[in-house]
Amino acid sequence: MIIHESVAEWMKASEGGDASARGLVPTMGALHEGHGSLIRQCVSDNTQSLVTIYVNPTQFENPDDLSNYPDSLQDDIRYLESLGVSDLILPRYKELYPFDFTLFVDESLDSKVLCGKNRIGHFKGVLSVVMKLINLTQARRVYFGKKDFQQYRLVSKMVEAYFMPTRIVGMETVRDEHGLALSSRNRRLSPEQLNLARQMNGLLRNMLLSTDEITRQLNDWGFRVDYCEERWDRRFIAAYLGDVRLIDNVEMTADVRAS
Ligand code: AMP
């Protein structure tokens, strides 16, 4: 695997290269099997498989959340090598934001609900950095997890709206054996909190319960529910356990209703 320590290094190495079989998985690092599923698909679909690790400050509302974000670069590099990734790019703020955050991409409808309601500006940061990463890699396929379904939906709309010559590939959520969606933030949960977090998906999938009932139950167990809502034929939740914010969503299919 080639490690490009900066945008400049990547630009130099890729100059004149063939972008037609290039795939990209944008990440913030602290990699786990959830990222692994996107990366495996990217490696299998493309001759050149790129991963970026960049903790994007413009999408964090809360400075503590940004500074607490787990960092495990050496482990991540070993993991990416084991998956057969061809290039890892490690961009830096000054290169990605030559004019700071004075130029950006924003959306005024789907980005204002769910995770965008209490985190004003979150998706503006996400969309802007994703457009930069797609443009600088020229990747023809870009992989996103449906765990962050709102992000996947917004990025797909951006690519369509701006006629970007790439395809967004949505991948199903990877869970542990108890149904908990894998997340870098799970590492910050105590053993007791982890047990509670594992109950969340079961409640969310239970279509006999209303979103209000799920909210009440989770709050009783010590969560602080940010939202529990249905839209786009899915049921979404975001809830805090201590200062760790967990999100999840499920499709509202007949199967789920029966479970
Ligand atoms: P992150 O590093 O959290 O920005 O995630 C990078 C990509 O991995 C995003 O497209 C996420 O949706 C995806 N991802 C994270 N966790 C999971 C998971 N448990 N299952 C599937 N995709 C995931």
Side-chain angles (χ1 to χ4, degrees):
M1 181 172 75
I2 305 172
I3 302 176
H4 308 274
E5 304 261 0
S6 64
V7 169
E9 272 184 33
W10 158 254
M11 296 292 245
K12 191 155 169 253
S14 61
E15 206 180 340
D18 175 15
S20 65
R22 200 177 273 166
L24 167 68
V25 183
T27 81
M28 299 203 294
L31 303 177
H32 50 67
E33 273 298 318
H35 299 105
S37 119
L38 277 59
I39 294 165
R40 282 195 183 88
Q41 191 65 45
C42 178
V43 168
S44 115
D45 291 348
N46 303 281
T47 318
Q48 191 176 20
S49 48
L50 316 179
V51 172
T52 52
I53 296 184
Y54 181 65
V55 183
N56 176 36
T58 64
Q59 71 191 64
F60 283 81
E61 281 286 284
N62 175 350
D64 288 342
D65 197 19
L66 175 62
S67 58
N68 285 332
Y69 204 82
D71 172 5
S72 55
L73 185 59
Q74 293 314 316
D75 289 347
D76 290 350
I77 290 174
R78 274 192 289 277
Y79 185 49
L80 293 173
E81 277 175 335
S82 77
L83 294 175
V85 167
S86 63
D87 297 76
L88 167 64
I89 310 174
L90 303 170
R92 298 163 200 196
Y93 177 82
K94 278 202 166 1
E95 295 180 293
L96 272 188
Y97 292 95
F99 307 106
D100 282 318
F101 201 32
T102 55
L103 285 163
F104 45 78
V105 189
D106 206 356
E107 195 271 356
S108 62
L109 187 68
D110 292 351
S111 69
K112 303 301 172 201
V113 298
L114 304 174
C115 283
K117 199 166 169 190
N118 290 331
R119 303 167 97 203
I120 317 289
H122 170 67
F123 288 110
K124 178 173 154 188
V126 169
L127 291 176
S128 301
V129 80
V130 169
M131 182 180 273
K132 287 165 187 280
L133 296 174
I134 293 177
N135 285 347
L136 80 87
T137 58
Q138 303 279 300
R140 297 298 159 85
R141 295 187 194 87
V142 188
Y143 298 79
F144 283 89
K146 292 188 186 173
K147 174 182 162 277
D148 303 282
F149 188 87
Q150 191 176 9
Q151 166 175 283
Y152 161 67
R153 182 179 165 95
L154 281 160
V155 167
S156 302
K157 286 177 99 172
M158 174 179 78
V159 161
E160 187 178 340
Y162 289 96
F163 306 99
M164 295 168 70
T166 192
R167 192 162 75 79
I168 300 301
V169 183
M171 301 287 297
E172 293 308 320
T173 302
V174 179
R175 304 177 178 282
D176 74 4
E177 65 277 23
H178 307 279
L180 174 64
L182 300 187
S183 163
S184 310
R185 293 191 167 96
N186 295 351
R187 300 179 188 192
R188 296 181 43 226
L189 296 172
S190 68
E192 297 75 32
Q193 288 175 326
L194 190 61
N195 276 334
L196 283 173
R198 287 178 164 151
Q199 319 277 334
M200 196 168 88
N201 181 257
L203 277 188
L204 193 65
R205 295 177 66 82
N206 185 344
M207 295 294 151
L208 299 173
L209 294 175
S210 70
T211 52
D212 283 348
E213 285 168 321
I214 295 171
T215 303
R216 262 198 301 279
Q217 177 66 266
L218 287 174
N219 283 335
D220 283 351
W221 286 347
F223 288 79
R224 188 161 49 84
V225 175
D226 183 6
Y227 61 76
C228 181
E229 240 178 272
E230 293 168 354
R231 58 173 70 233
W232 309 322
D233 293 324
R234 302 181 89 91
R235 187 180 256 189
F236 293 84
I237 192 149
Y240 288 87
L241 263 180
D243 63 350
V244 180
R245 188 170 190 275
L246 302 170
I247 61 170
D248 199 356
N249 70 90
V250 294
E251 222 172 332
M252 295 177 65
T253 61
D255 273 2
V256 178
R257 270 174 230 280
S259 70

